Amino acid sequence: MKKILSKFVDTRLLKFFFSPIILYHSSFKTIPTEFKIGLHNLTPELIEEQIYYLKKNFNIVSIDEYFKAKNKKGLASITFDDGYKNVIENNKNIFIKFKIPVTIFIVTSSFEKKIFWRDKIRFIINNNLEEKFKNYLTKQGIFIDNLYRDSKRKKYNSISIENSIDKFLIKNNFHLEFNNHQFTSTDQLFDSEYFFYGSHSHNHYVMSSLSYEEQFEEIQKSKKIIQQLNLNKSNLFSIPFGGTNDFDKYTILILKKLNYDGVLLSRNFLNPSNSNFFADRLMPGDNDIIETIKINFFKTILKRKVI
């Protein structure tokens, strides 16, 4: 039904009402075994193909320029979350070739050589340890059904969940130091007029699961690290997980106190041309990017909630 409806959406009509911000995460050429389930990954070839069609139909600008634009009609922007090294290793020449700005929002604890806790979750799932870990959590009074989904619910403090993961891995003699696929040093960041870097928090915890003090530490510590980079920087904040329930009033209070210019969500909607402090992003799969945008034209009209 959606594909049928998309045929009635002219790109010129779409650009008049909405503007897309694209969200990517990882770009492995071949996904490692420990990431087969649970990772949003598009190969460099697919990203290049999508960028080509986006550039033909939109004026692609940096995400901060997008936010500052009073008239967003016809604009698009490209972002990456989490800070996987393969984004630069496999794609930097693509963005230079097309002269397109891209912003990478980094989980800054990776610079401390810390393994991303969502990658630990993926490791458990892809090594058939999910039931064993769920039983381990049950003994601690934490009852979850689907590990990947439920471990990011706001009812469970993310810090506590990660502590349980670490204890479980140690107890079962798993050492993941060699599996860190994120940036582990600022030297790995690429200095280019087309690359910008921003904050995705320090540990990528569910903000709404944390206290005010815990959120403040997460956001402030990450902001300080990003500010110290001698590179192009973004003054926007990418909400971990990016859903409506993944942050609360304290999150926004802290972001405004720390003088952020805006907030990026990940709800798979397009943005109205007058969007201001909050902006949604569209997470494409391995299909036609323009078709994906057209399909989400109707989803945005029917379901997008103003925050």
Side-chain angles (χ1 to χ4, degrees):
M1 182 63 176
K2 289 181 179 179
K3 288 188 176 181
I4 294 173
L5 289 173
S6 73
K7 294 179 181 179
F8 294 96
V9 180
D10 184 273
T11 305
R12 290 170 294 179
L13 176 67
L14 188 153
K15 289 195 289 186
F16 185 82
F17 290 105
F18 297 112
S19 50
I21 302 174
I22 306 301
L23 168 60
Y24 296 111
H25 288 85
S26 169
S27 187
F28 286 110
K29 295 178 180 178
T30 303
I31 302 178
T33 302
E34 67 265 30
F35 286 169
K36 286 289 183 183
I37 299 173
L39 182 68
H40 177 229
N41 186 86
L42 270 74
T43 65
E45 291 77 17
L46 275 170
I47 288 178
E48 181 170 11
E49 181 180 312
Q50 293 186 358
I51 295 302
Y52 173 78
Y53 285 107
L54 278 170
K55 186 167 184 179
K56 283 182 64 177
N57 290 278
F58 295 92
N59 176 23
I60 303 178
V61 298
S62 72
I63 190 62
D64 286 71
E65 186 179 348
Y66 176 98
F67 262 77
K68 292 174 184 176
K70 293 181 180 179
N71 183 1
K72 295 178 173 60
K73 293 176 183 177
L75 297 184
S77 193
I78 297 169
T79 64
F80 285 84
D81 274 2
D82 297 345
Y84 285 104
K85 290 182 286 189
N86 57 41
V87 172
I88 288 178
E89 293 169 347
N90 297 334
N91 293 282
K92 66 180 181 181
N93 292 333
I94 295 172
F95 293 106
I96 293 172
K97 172 185 173 181
F98 289 107
K99 298 181 178 179
I100 290 175
V102 57
T103 305
I104 302 173
F105 290 92
I106 300 171
V107 179
T108 50
S109 63
S110 66
F111 295 136
E112 300 171 348
K113 309 296 189 294
K114 182 183 176 186
I115 304 293
F116 184 22
W117 78 282
R118 298 308 295 176
D119 285 348
K120 297 173 189 176
I121 290 282
R122 283 183 267 269
F123 177 87
I124 289 171
I125 292 171
N126 284 285
N127 282 276
N128 299 314
L129 296 167
E130 181 172 358
E131 289 303 317
K132 189 173 183 178
F133 180 58
K134 284 161 58 176
N135 291 333
Y136 178 81
L137 289 177
T138 299
K139 293 177 182 178
Q140 301 175 52
I142 300 174
F143 304 94
I144 61 175
D145 178 33
N146 180 289
L147 178 58
Y148 189 81
R149 180 194 65 214
D150 295 341
S151 60
K152 56 183 179 180
R153 293 194 185 281
K154 66 178 183 180
K155 66 186 287 188
Y156 302 117
N157 181 285
S158 295
I159 299 172
S160 297
I161 292 292
E162 183 175 26
N163 287 337
S164 294
I165 292 170
D166 289 341
K167 290 176 182 177
F168 172 80
L169 293 173
I170 291 171
K171 182 178 179 181
N172 289 277
N173 296 314
F174 288 109
H175 303 283
L176 308 187
E177 286 82 2
F178 60 91
N179 285 319
N180 199 330
H181 295 285
Q182 291 179 295
F183 299 117
T184 55
S185 167
T186 57
D187 294 336
Q188 296 167 337
L189 303 180
F190 185 53
D191 187 0
S192 165
E193 62 181 305
Y194 300 112
F195 279 78
F196 297 76
Y197 302 93
S199 172
H200 197 29
S201 81
H202 193 60
N203 288 288
H204 200 286
Y205 293 141
V206 180
M207 288 293 147
S208 54
S209 78
L210 308 181
S211 68
Y212 175 90
E213 291 75 18
E214 289 168 337
Q215 289 194 54
F216 192 89
E217 182 178 358
E218 272 290 298
I219 297 170
Q220 184 185 49
K221 189 171 185 178
S222 182
K223 184 177 178 70
K224 284 183 178 180
I225 292 171
I226 295 297
Q227 285 180 326
Q228 291 170 1
L229 297 176
N230 190 26
L231 299 163
N232 296 326
K233 294 178 281 287
S234 170
N235 197 45
L236 304 172
F237 184 80
S238 173
I239 297 281
F241 303 107
T244 308
N245 295 320
D246 298 322
F247 64 98
D248 56 24
K249 63 181 181 180
Y250 295 131
T251 317
I252 304 309
L253 182 67
I254 293 166
L255 293 173
K256 290 185 175 180
K257 184 175 183 178
L258 294 175
N259 298 314
Y260 275 99
D261 293 331
V263 175
L264 291 167
L265 303 175
S266 315
R267 302 187 299 174
N268 270 318
F269 292 127
L270 301 171
N271 292 287
S273 57
N274 63 347
S275 59
N276 192 4
F277 189 74
F278 292 94
D280 278 296
R281 290 177 293 176
L282 186 65
M283 195 165 66
D286 55 355
N287 49 2
D288 182 281
I289 186 69
I290 300 302
E291 183 75 11
T292 299
I293 291 171
K294 287 182 177 181
I295 289 171
N296 280 275
F297 176 87
F298 292 100
K299 179 185 173 185
T300 300
I301 291 174
L302 296 172
K303 296 183 178 181
R304 186 182 189 272
K305 295 181 180 180
V306 178
I307 297 174

